[in-house]
Amino acid sequence: MIGVFSDTHGDLGAFDAAYELLRAKGARRFLFVGARYTDLDEWVLWRRQKSRGGREYSDADFLADVTQWLVSPQEAKPRTPASREAPADVASEDDRRLVMERFVRVPERESLAYRDPTVANKAMDLVGDTLCCVVHDKNDLVKDDLLNAQVFIHGKESEPKVVRIGPRYFVTPGRLVGASEQTCGLLEKAERNLSFSAFRLDGHLVLPPQVLQVDSRSTKLTVK
């Protein structure tokens, strides 16, 4: 299962609530679909601060993390397979790494990351046998994206929905900030197809499971 959420706009509490809700529902990986791109990094620091009883991450904490990594690299935690439960804690540097590995994120146009040539504005992610394109604003999609992927996961919408146009699906989890309801979504395999559902942060189902009729045998991949 993959948790999907977007448009946190600096609300780390909403980010945290979405992560915990989707993790409790079985999400093993997460798509953070922009606005604000840096909220993932700030949320991790916020969680680490909470784990220290509200104390800020100090130089001493940094040195302790580095020392632990240098003196015992062979004892570092193994990479957690995506099939296992999503990490519940980010207290140590190893925990932080394991959590970050579970996320795919894309920047919004207003962010510095969007103008950074080393940061991709879109991401391709394979869900089962289906190639999905992840982007904050669906208006950033170009012809090659439409040819390569079958499912497009995007943000910048006030409510969760699934829209089918021909063989392609456009999926959005809604917003965590700036909408009448704070919502996030869950994407999962449903036999040969995919299914998408959405929830409020209190766990109330607002979008019943919508089946995405995908067929891996018909997915096109353009190679240049």
Side-chain angles (χ1 to χ4, degrees):
M1 294 186 185
I2 298 178
V4 186
F5 56 97
S6 181
D7 296 274
T8 49
H9 293 286
D11 189 335
L12 302 184
F15 192 115
D16 190 63
Y19 178 81
E20 289 298 337
L21 173 66
L22 295 170
R23 191 176 71 85
K25 290 186 176 296
R28 299 295 187 259
R29 296 195 295 120
F30 300 87
L31 304 178
F32 177 46
V33 203
R36 281 181 338 184
Y37 182 80
T38 56
D39 280 354
L40 173 58
D41 307 286
E42 294 182 15
W43 168 72
V44 169
L45 291 175
W46 180 72
R47 283 286 295 258
R48 294 184 74 173
Q49 182 177 337
K50 285 186 64 177
S51 72
R52 294 180 169 89
R55 179 171 56 83
E56 291 186 1
Y57 188 66
S58 65
D59 291 342
D61 294 322
F62 172 76
L63 290 174
D65 281 340
V66 172
T67 300
Q68 179 185 8
W69 181 79
L70 289 174
V71 300
S72 56
Q74 71 281 2
E75 297 178 3
K77 294 181 181 179
R79 298 173 72 90
T80 305
S83 59
R84 290 179 56 186
E85 183 178 352
D89 198 5
V90 293
S92 70
E93 179 59 24
D94 286 329
D95 294 329
R96 183 203 66 80
R97 175 180 56 80
L98 291 174
V99 170
M100 294 292 284
E101 287 175 354
R102 295 302 184 94
F103 274 87
V104 172
R105 60 173 164 171
V106 289
E108 63 284 358
R109 290 184 183 181
E110 298 78 13
S111 70
L112 292 176
Y114 189 90
R115 298 188 290 274
D116 186 340
T118 66
V119 176
N121 294 338
K122 287 163 277 193
M124 291 293 183
D125 197 70
L126 196 63
V127 182
D129 296 324
T130 303
L131 190 62
C132 301
C133 179
V134 183
V135 63
H136 177 247
D137 187 345
K138 63 181 181 295
N139 291 320
D140 282 344
L141 296 171
V142 297
K143 183 178 179 181
D144 282 351
D145 300 322
L146 297 173
L147 289 173
N148 287 337
Q150 191 172 2
V151 175
F152 300 86
I153 302 165
H154 64 92
K156 207 176 180 181
E157 294 288 345
S158 60
E159 60 185 30
K161 56 187 174 182
V162 174
V163 176
R164 182 175 184 177
I165 302 178
R168 301 176 181 88
Y169 289 88
F170 295 81
V171 177
T172 179
R175 297 178 179 175
L176 286 174
V177 171
S180 58
E181 291 187 313
Q182 296 173 291
T183 57
C184 53
L186 197 63
L187 184 67
E188 54 189 310
K189 292 181 63 177
E191 297 182 351
R192 293 183 62 86
N193 298 309
L194 299 178
S195 175
F196 181 77
S197 53
F199 307 84
R200 289 196 315 236
L201 291 184
D202 62 4
H204 178 75
L205 181 69
V206 294
L207 182 68
Q210 306 290 302
V211 176
L212 283 60
Q213 298 284 348
V214 294
D215 184 351
S216 61
R217 293 169 297 182
S218 65
T219 300
K220 297 179 181 179
L221 177 61
T222 300
V223 179
K224 294 186 175 181

